[in-house]
């Protein structure tokens, strides 16, 4: 599979594998709702809907992962760690990877770079205090990233991000524009491989009221898994314990994991394991250039006698 990311280096999966799959869980719990609607803190039913994740979903999902022998990646906002420490410690004790997902699930595009760094550190401190872990992976709340994010992550020792959508395979992301800028690994995701769109309905807060059948969701995800495996890509599924931890959805997820494990040459791994492999490939880093809006961009010399604007 050739893509526009194939500049320099050759992408290879580890020996014996032709594609990869990762099962990831975002332990948003109350944080994703409170970041958008702080007044929902006083709505017990809404808060209980979110608390289902750490209280009931996580134990069920951990049982499934143990049965299937899969090491998963859990992205945990610092606030979730502080509010549900036992759930986070149970994830750690089961041997899964714990990664960073903001403090109160703040989309970084609402922050300036100093604010981004502040919530990053707040999240790191919470995960350290509650579970004694130092994550190497980050996923943007709402999958948002700013132009400053990769540089801030690299400065704090992060080795990968999982928030961008322009590839089927991992790639190296430049954390600056200068030659020799640090890089992190990008592990791409997509809204089609997220359970929120399929399952979540909170009146007045999220969702349209349409709650999909796990049978349909299994079909959606297994089709993408099979196609990405055939193309040598990476299948990264994003589930939320408050959504996919519910009984029939968790059962469908277990079926999907079994299906993935039966695909020949498919490497089922945590995101940290995949990132560590990508770091060995010597790929050329991709820099995401901001689109220039018509009428606001650089002017070619000589076209109007003016100067080239400097950014
Ligand atoms: Zn989230």
């Amino acid at each position: 599979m050739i893509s526009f990311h194939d500049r320099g280096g050759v992408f290879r999966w580890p020996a014996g594998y032709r594609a990869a799959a990762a099962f990831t869980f975002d332990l948003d719990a109350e944080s994703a709702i409170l970041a958008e609607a702080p007044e929902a803190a006083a709505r017990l039913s809404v808060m209980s809907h979110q608390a289902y994740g750490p209280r009931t979903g996580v134990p069920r999902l951990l049982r499934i992962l143990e049965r299937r022998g899969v090491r998963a990646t859990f992205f945990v906002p610092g606030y979730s760690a502080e509010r549900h420490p036992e759930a986070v410690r149970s994830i750690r004790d089961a041997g899964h990877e714990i990664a960073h997902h903001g403090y109160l699930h703040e989309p970084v595009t609402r922050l300036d770079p100093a604010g981004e760094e502040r919530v990053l550190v707040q999240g790191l401190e919470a995960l350290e205090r509650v579970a004694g872990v130092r994550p190497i992976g980050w996923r943007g709340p709402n999958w948002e990233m700013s132009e400053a994010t990769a540089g801030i992550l690299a400065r704090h020792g992060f080795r990968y991000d999982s928030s961008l959508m322009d590839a089927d395979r991992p790639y190296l992301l430049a954390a600056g524009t200068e030659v020799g800028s640090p890089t992190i690994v990008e592990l791409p995701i997509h809204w089609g491989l997220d359970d929120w769109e399929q399952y979540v309905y909170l009146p007045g807060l999220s969702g349209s009221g349409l709650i999909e059948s796990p049978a349909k969701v299994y079909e959606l995800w297994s089709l993408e898994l099979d196609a990405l495996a055939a193309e040598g890509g990476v299948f990264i599924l994003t589930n939320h314990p408050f959504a996919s931890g519910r009984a029939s959805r968790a059962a469908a997820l277990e079926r999907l994991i079994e299906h993935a494990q039966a695909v020949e040459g498919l490497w089922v791994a945590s995101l940290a394991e995949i990132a560590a492999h990508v770091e060995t490939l010597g790929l050329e880093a991709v820099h995401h250039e901001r689109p220039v809006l018509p009428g606001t961009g650089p002017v070619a010399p000589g076209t109007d006698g003016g100067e080239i604007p400097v950014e």
Side-chain angles (χ1 to χ4, degrees):
M1 179 177 54
I2 299 294
S3 82
F4 288 109
H5 287 291
D6 293 322
R7 296 175 302 170
V10 176
F11 193 93
R12 290 181 312 271
W13 290 110
Y17 295 112
R18 63 183 172 108
F23 293 90
T24 75
F25 299 89
D26 294 0
L27 193 63
D28 291 356
E30 297 90 344
S31 69
I33 299 300
L34 295 177
E36 304 299 321
E39 67 283 3
R43 296 173 63 183
L44 294 195
S45 181
V46 171
M47 290 298 98
S48 74
H49 179 269
Q50 299 307 111
Y52 184 92
R55 289 183 184 156
T56 308
V58 165
R60 176 176 291 130
L61 294 166
L62 291 181
R63 289 195 297 274
I64 289 172
L65 294 168
E66 188 182 3
R67 265 200 302 274
R68 301 310 314 165
V70 167
R71 184 163 185 255
T73 299
F74 286 76
F75 289 90
V76 181
Y79 184 84
S80 293
E82 289 171 349
R83 193 166 161 81
H84 303 285
E86 291 312 316
V88 176
R89 290 183 199 126
S90 71
I91 293 165
R92 174 202 63 194
D93 293 346
H96 299 292
E97 178 192 1
I98 292 180
H100 195 299
H101 196 43
Y103 179 72
L104 190 68
H105 207 273
E106 307 86 353
V108 295
T109 42
R110 296 180 198 164
L111 302 167
D112 61 14
E116 270 196 59
E117 191 149 18
R118 185 171 35 77
V119 299
L120 189 80
V121 170
Q122 245 184 312
L124 282 172
E125 288 172 353
L127 293 176
E128 169 66 43
R129 210 165 37 242
V130 169
V133 294
R134 172 83 197 188
I136 62 156
W138 184 85
R139 170 174 285 161
N142 298 7
W143 278 331
E144 292 284 4
M145 262 184 115
S146 77
E147 289 166 341
T149 310
I152 295 170
L153 291 174
R155 214 163 43 244
H156 285 270
F158 282 83
R159 288 163 57 192
Y160 75 84
D161 164 68
S162 182
S163 313
L164 300 181
M165 313 197 187
D166 58 325
D168 292 330
R169 282 195 319 222
Y171 62 92
L172 267 196
L173 176 63
T177 50
E178 304 83 35
V179 176
S181 293
T183 60
I184 57 173
V185 172
E186 178 56 39
L187 299 169
I189 45 70
H190 182 249
W191 294 109
L193 295 178
D194 183 335
D195 64 351
W196 195 298
E197 289 62 46
Q198 307 303 322
Y199 292 142
V200 179
Y201 176 52
L202 270 172
L205 290 167
S206 186
S208 66
L210 174 67
I211 294 175
E212 295 287 2
S213 154
K216 176 233 139 172
V217 176
Y218 174 86
E219 182 189 60
L220 175 74
W221 292 343
S222 60
L223 285 169
E224 186 68 5
L225 185 145
D226 290 346
L228 278 174
E231 296 253 348
V234 65
F235 171 89
I236 299 177
L237 188 66
T238 298
N239 283 341
H240 298 77
F242 76 83
S244 283
R246 291 198 176 262
S248 63
R249 302 166 180 179
L253 177 63
E254 183 165 13
R255 272 213 297 141
L256 184 71
I257 293 172
E258 283 180 64
H259 175 75
Q261 289 176 320
V263 173
E264 203 194 325
L266 184 67
W267 182 34
V268 179
S270 69
L271 293 187
E273 291 169 298
I274 296 174
H277 168 72
V278 176
E279 285 171 346
T280 68
L281 298 177
L283 302 174
E284 189 179 325
V286 172
H287 171 64
H288 286 272
E289 217 165 289
R290 183 198 289 213
V292 177
L293 293 168
T296 62
V299 178
T303 51
D304 67 351
E307 290 175 331
I308 299 173
V310 177
E311 283 183 38

